């Protein structure tokens, strides 16, 4: 009997199982009611009285060791299981951090929406342009300062190829391939060789509008300008036009709106004048129509253009232009509500 117990003790101390089924088979073999250890327990009553004490102790030791060994193997399996899959599938997911629309995109879309309701469709053109579409077709004289190297990015090997300095280049591209009525807006990025500071950048964004048809007059232009200002800055907004000069329009004007920050009373933003400048406009110069194959005796039109950064500054009082291109999410997040 004692020899049998010793043999089983050796066996259980070296038990191995490579999966849960094998482990269960071992438990049945040694520890179940019909297992080897219970068989020995059943034989215990046949043990001689003087050996009962020692056999009893050894039997208990065997049973404890067998239980311990099987428990240890089970624990090893359990920790292996959780090691291969340490995901807690019941935990709630990390919140997904959604991006927000860029303030310039928000304002650009608002402008597009206002002009869209007036029947203007969107036209786009290349940012890398030729001199003709950016300057010549728009009535810029050969010696116009805007062509100067100081303002325009030229490509050294091809001085005729430039980064467009305004979105008006899209107007000439549309005019050369279509006949009036033309009613388009051209949103896009433009480039100028300027030192980067809080109030200037080497690239910025514009939206231009162009309307060409028979009998288009300055009155039509003023009406659209007033409507745009009221839609963009509120129904109380007033506008005023100051005479100006642009090569591609004649007459030309710059438009101010009553300062939307102080309501026209005067504040540091409007330099205490009550007015802030927001865009340039005018009647399309007949030379421009002719350059682009449109009969200036039959058709007339107006054009207007504005900087999207300028409008965004007015709406949100962003004091440093550079913030628009720094991609600082702390800045961009502030416009979440406007999305
Ligand atoms: Zn003001």
């Amino acid at each position: 009997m004692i020899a049998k117990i010793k043999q089983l003790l050796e066996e259980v101390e070296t038990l191995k199982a490579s999966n849960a089924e094998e482990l269960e088979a071992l438990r049945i073999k040694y520890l179940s009611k019909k297992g080897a250890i219970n068989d020995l327990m059943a034989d215990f009553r046949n043990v001689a009285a003087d050996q009962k004490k020692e056999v009893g102790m050894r039997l208990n030791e065997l049973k404890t060791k067998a239980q311990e060994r099987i428990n240890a193997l089970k624990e090893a399996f359990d920790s292996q299981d959780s090691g291969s899959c340490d995901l807690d599938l019941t935990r709630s997911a990390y919140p997904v951090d959604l991006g927000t629309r860029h303030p310039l995109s928000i304002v650009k879309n608002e402008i597009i929406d206002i002009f869209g309701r007036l029947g203007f469709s969107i036209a786009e053109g290349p940012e890398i342009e030729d001199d003709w579409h950016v300057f010549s077709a728009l009535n810029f004289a050969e010696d116009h300062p805007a062509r100067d190297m100081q303002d325009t990015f030229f490509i050294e090997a091809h001085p005729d190829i430039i980064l467009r300095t305004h979105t008006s280049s899209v107007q000439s591209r549309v005019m050369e391939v279509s006949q009036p009525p033309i009613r388009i807006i051209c949103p896009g990025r433009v480039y100028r060789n300027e030192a980067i500071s809080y109030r200037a950048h080497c690239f910025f964004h514009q939206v231009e509008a162009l309307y060409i048809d028979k009998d288009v007059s300055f009155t039509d232009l003023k009406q659209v300008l007033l409507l745009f200002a009221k839609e963009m800055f509120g129904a109380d907004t007033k506008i005023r036009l100051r005479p100006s000069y642009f090569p591609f329009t004649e007459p030309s004007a710059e438009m101010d709106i009553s300062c939307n920050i102080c309501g026209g009373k005067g504040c540091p933003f409007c330099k205490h004048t009550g007015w802030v400048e927001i865009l340039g406009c005018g009647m399309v110069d007949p030379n421009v129509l002719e350059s682009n194959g449109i009969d200036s005796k039959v058709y007339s039109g107006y054009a207007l253009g504005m900087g999207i950064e300028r409008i965004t500054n007015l709406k949100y009082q962003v004091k440093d232009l550079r913030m628009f291109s720094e991609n600082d999410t702390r800045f961009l997040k502030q416009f979440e509500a406007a999305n």
Side-chain angles (χ1 to χ4, degrees):
M1 181 89 179
I2 288 176
K4 178 78 177 161
I5 294 171
K6 273 189 178 169
Q7 186 210 326
L8 281 176
L9 195 59
E10 276 171 29
E11 272 181 47
V12 299
E13 280 179 340
T14 56
L15 286 181
K16 282 193 178 71
S18 54
N19 57 47
E21 286 79 41
E22 281 181 34
L23 183 65
E24 178 62 8
L26 291 175
R27 191 191 66 78
I28 291 166
K29 184 177 174 189
Y30 293 100
L31 290 171
S32 69
K33 272 187 180 166
K34 291 181 179 173
I37 293 170
N38 251 12
D39 282 354
L40 284 177
M41 296 280 193
D43 281 346
F44 184 69
R45 74 175 96 93
N46 302 324
V47 172
D50 60 340
Q51 290 185 4
K52 272 200 172 166
K53 190 180 172 191
E54 193 191 348
V55 172
M57 272 169 55
R58 285 177 184 261
L59 259 178
N60 278 331
E61 187 194 357
L62 171 64
K63 194 175 178 182
T64 310
K65 286 266 163 79
Q67 191 67 62
E68 278 174 7
R69 182 67 193 166
I70 285 182
N71 286 349
L73 288 171
K74 188 170 186 303
E75 257 174 48
F77 278 134
D78 286 350
S79 64
Q80 243 177 33
D81 278 358
S82 62
S84 66
C85 178
D86 57 359
L87 295 172
D88 179 359
L89 296 177
T90 61
R91 208 191 60 196
S92 55
Y94 286 115
V96 178
D97 208 2
L98 286 177
T100 53
R101 220 171 265 289
H102 193 280
L104 293 178
S105 296
I106 295 170
V107 170
K108 181 184 81 176
N109 289 341
E110 267 185 71
I111 298 170
I112 289 173
D113 181 58
I114 293 168
F115 281 97
R117 278 183 268 139
L118 294 169
F120 286 77
S121 56
I122 298 172
E124 286 179 323
E127 293 178 17
I128 302 169
E129 258 292 8
D130 53 36
D131 178 274
W132 170 258
H133 290 100
V134 177
F135 295 127
S136 301
L138 294 167
N139 203 34
F140 279 77
E142 275 302 324
D143 56 354
H144 192 281
R147 292 173 181 244
D148 197 282
M149 300 288 277
Q150 297 301 314
D151 292 318
T152 309
F153 286 113
F154 289 84
I155 291 168
E156 234 166 32
H158 299 279
D160 191 43
I161 305 295
I162 57 183
L163 293 179
R164 68 181 180 193
T165 55
H166 51 192
T167 43
S168 313
S169 55
V170 183
Q171 297 185 5
S172 39
R173 282 198 173 266
V174 170
M175 283 188 278
E176 72 187 357
V177 295
S178 42
Q179 283 295 311
I182 294 171
R183 197 174 352 207
I184 52 161
I185 49 168
C186 325
R189 180 174 282 189
V190 300
Y191 303 83
R192 288 187 199 173
N193 188 8
E194 297 207 28
I196 295 170
S197 73
Y198 74 97
R199 55 196 296 266
H201 211 292
C202 60
F203 65 80
F204 52 99
H205 301 79
Q206 288 187 333
V207 178
E208 298 227 350
L210 174 72
Y211 178 37
I212 301 172
D213 205 345
K214 288 173 182 162
D215 303 321
V216 177
S217 69
F218 204 91
T219 314
D220 298 319
L221 171 60
K222 276 170 76 177
Q223 198 55 44
V224 163
L225 291 173
L226 181 63
L227 188 131
F228 170 73
K230 284 176 182 289
E231 288 288 312
M232 198 73 198
F233 295 102
D236 296 335
T237 310
K238 295 181 184 69
I239 64 166
R240 76 175 184 190
L241 295 169
R242 288 177 287 106
S244 185
Y245 169 77
F246 303 110
F248 37 89
T249 46
E250 180 60 36
S252 305
E254 277 174 85
M255 181 174 102
D256 300 337
I257 58 165
S258 50
C259 176
N260 66 314
I261 292 159
C262 62
K265 291 188 197 77
C267 70
F269 192 85
C270 57
K271 300 190 182 81
H272 303 283
T273 62
W275 295 95
V276 282
E277 183 195 326
I278 68 161
L279 58 77
C281 58
M283 301 306 291
V284 180
D285 193 301
N287 288 344
V288 172
L289 295 176
E290 295 294 338
S291 293
N292 290 286
I294 293 171
D295 189 343
S296 64
K297 290 180 190 69
V298 180
Y299 296 106
S300 56
Y302 62 72
L304 61 98
M306 67 194 98
I308 301 179
E309 278 84 350
R310 175 81 182 149
I311 307 289
T312 309
N313 283 350
L314 278 170
K315 277 196 85 106
Y316 299 114
Q317 284 96 59
V318 178
K319 295 199 171 66
D320 189 335
L321 265 183
R322 290 170 294 195
M323 300 187 87
F324 288 128
S325 50
E326 279 172 353
N327 286 332
D328 185 335
T329 51
R330 291 168 302 176
F331 168 70
L332 297 173
K333 280 255 174 205
Q334 298 176 85
F335 302 91
E336 212 164 5
N339 274 279

